[in-house]
Amino acid sequence: DTGPRISGLVSNRRTGSFGHRYRVDALISEVRNQVGLNYQIPLDTPLTDRYEASAGYQTEDLDEMSSELILLEFKRVYVKPDRWTRTWYIKAQHESFDIGDISGTSTLILPGVRWEQSEADDPIFPNKGFRMMADLSFSTDFLFSDTTLVQGLFKTKWIFSPFERFRVILRGDAGVTWINEFEELPTSLRFFAGGDQSVRGFGYKSLGPREAGEVIGGEYLLVGSAELEYRMSEEWLVAIFTDEGNAFDEIDDDLENSIGFGIRWLSPIGPVRIDYAFPTTEDDFDGRLHIYIGPDL
């Protein structure tokens, strides 16, 4: 999605005598550049309970939009006995953005809560597993924010093997934003669709409401995917799939669809996926190549 990139990470998993941790990471690419710092403070049960403080700087430059984001975040993370990870957080972000004919700056204080869970029979290439994430956040001018909004996001992915050598992968994303003036919403909080992990066959963040022919993002998001893989050998698989979804301003807006096929190589660093997808809801039926590296969950 972001073109060729270089990334690096330095971490220290035991800082001082109290088991503190820190991580510094950076990424340079054609589309997105970012640098971040994360510091963790374990609590009485260090495997499940901790504080985190993060700071980051990110720029993103696409044909139809650009943004510059400064972010500060403080988290309270707790892994519950049922293996759900609950995170209470408060984010402070300042963003300058240009999208369509809109140029603006936004300063927001965003308290929120996130629930996450993931299980798999293999951490690299599972035959059975799932992940779920639900996030709810808000801002208000009473908390020194430029605008009042509420945003919810839900993501899930399921993997199962109905027959030997076969895997089924189901994926879904849904999001909603309540805001009085959509023009005040920065690009980092707008919903877009399209790309390697969204609706394949379409460009990265190329789907969503348009203004003067340019994608400006939406208040709602809905994406779904179904994929069938067949394992030809220990290291190689083939796949067919269909993706559907869009970002939109009205619930009854049309969804975009694509179909495609791909090949997977189970490399020592995790699956390498090469997909070719065709949009079925556009007059232009040209396909698009997608390459993705990393674990399924």
Side-chain angles (χ1 to χ4, degrees):
D1 283 338
T2 57
R5 63 190 183 272
I6 298 173
S7 61
L9 181 145
V10 176
S11 64
N12 188 326
R13 303 192 181 199
R14 184 177 177 183
T15 303
S17 59
F18 295 101
H20 292 196
R21 299 182 175 189
Y22 71 81
R23 182 181 72 247
V24 181
D25 61 87
L27 180 144
I28 300 173
S29 73
E30 291 181 324
V31 171
R32 179 185 298 160
N33 301 296
Q34 63 187 50
V35 61
L37 168 66
N38 176 270
Y39 194 91
Q40 298 183 13
I41 302 173
L43 298 176
D44 291 341
T45 310
L47 290 178
T48 62
D49 220 0
R50 66 184 183 271
Y51 288 121
E52 291 188 25
S54 303
Y57 174 77
Q58 175 182 300
T59 64
E60 190 169 53
D61 192 359
L62 299 171
D63 292 338
E64 300 175 347
M65 71 188 82
S66 63
S67 70
E68 183 179 19
L69 174 66
I70 300 172
L71 177 68
L72 299 173
E73 185 174 16
F74 183 76
K75 303 177 184 177
R76 171 68 162 83
V77 182
Y78 173 57
V79 182
K80 302 175 67 177
D82 57 8
R83 288 182 289 187
W84 278 94
T85 300
R86 183 182 63 198
T87 303
W88 294 97
Y89 65 84
I90 183 167
K91 292 190 292 187
Q93 67 173 59
H94 178 77
E95 183 172 355
S96 302
F97 59 94
D98 294 285
I99 184 166
D101 296 330
I102 303 170
S103 296
T105 59
S106 171
T107 300
L108 298 174
I109 307 295
L110 291 156
V113 60
R114 183 182 303 117
W115 295 270
E116 299 172 276
Q117 188 178 26
S118 179
E119 292 185 13
D121 59 1
D122 185 279
I124 302 299
F125 187 77
N127 285 310
K128 181 180 180 181
F130 73 92
R131 73 166 186 237
M132 287 190 288
M133 187 280 293
D135 187 284
L136 181 65
S137 62
F138 73 95
S139 74
T140 172
D141 50 11
F142 293 112
L143 292 177
F144 311 105
S145 294
D146 290 342
T147 188
T148 297
L149 66 93
V150 178
Q151 187 170 84
L153 179 63
F154 177 77
K155 293 187 175 186
T156 186
K157 189 174 185 179
W158 293 79
I159 299 174
F160 60 94
S161 181
F163 308 105
E164 187 177 0
R165 292 182 174 270
F166 285 91
R167 284 200 322 167
V168 174
I169 303 175
L170 304 177
R171 170 171 53 87
D173 303 339
V176 59
T177 305
W178 291 276
I179 187 171
N180 289 330
E181 298 293 335
F182 180 74
E183 292 78 11
E184 299 179 0
L185 192 66
T187 58
S188 63
L189 295 180
R190 298 186 183 200
F191 291 123
F192 300 87
D196 299 342
Q197 299 299 296
S198 181
V199 183
R200 287 165 287 188
F202 296 87
Y204 176 58
K205 291 189 175 181
S206 67
L207 297 180
R210 294 179 176 268
E211 187 175 276
E214 297 185 350
V215 179
I216 62 169
E219 298 180 49
Y220 303 97
L221 175 71
L222 190 63
V223 172
S225 173
E227 184 170 319
L228 178 65
E229 292 181 346
Y230 174 71
R231 191 164 190 166
M232 300 184 297
S233 66
E234 284 298 315
E235 295 182 351
W236 293 96
L237 301 91
V238 292
I240 56 173
F241 58 85
T242 179
D243 297 344
E244 189 162 9
N246 209 342
F248 39 87
D249 289 332
E250 302 292 337
I251 294 294
D252 57 353
D253 283 357
D254 293 335
L255 300 178
E256 302 287 354
N257 178 265
S258 67
I259 58 174
F261 60 90
I263 188 167
R264 283 88 174 95
W265 172 43
L266 303 185
S267 77
I269 60 170
V272 177
R273 303 173 192 81
I274 302 175
D275 292 329
Y276 204 78
F278 302 88
T280 63
T281 49
E282 289 191 347
D283 295 334
D284 184 2
F285 204 66
D286 290 341
R288 189 177 184 90
L289 181 68
H290 298 274
I291 300 175
Y292 184 78
I293 302 172
D296 290 303
L297 297 174

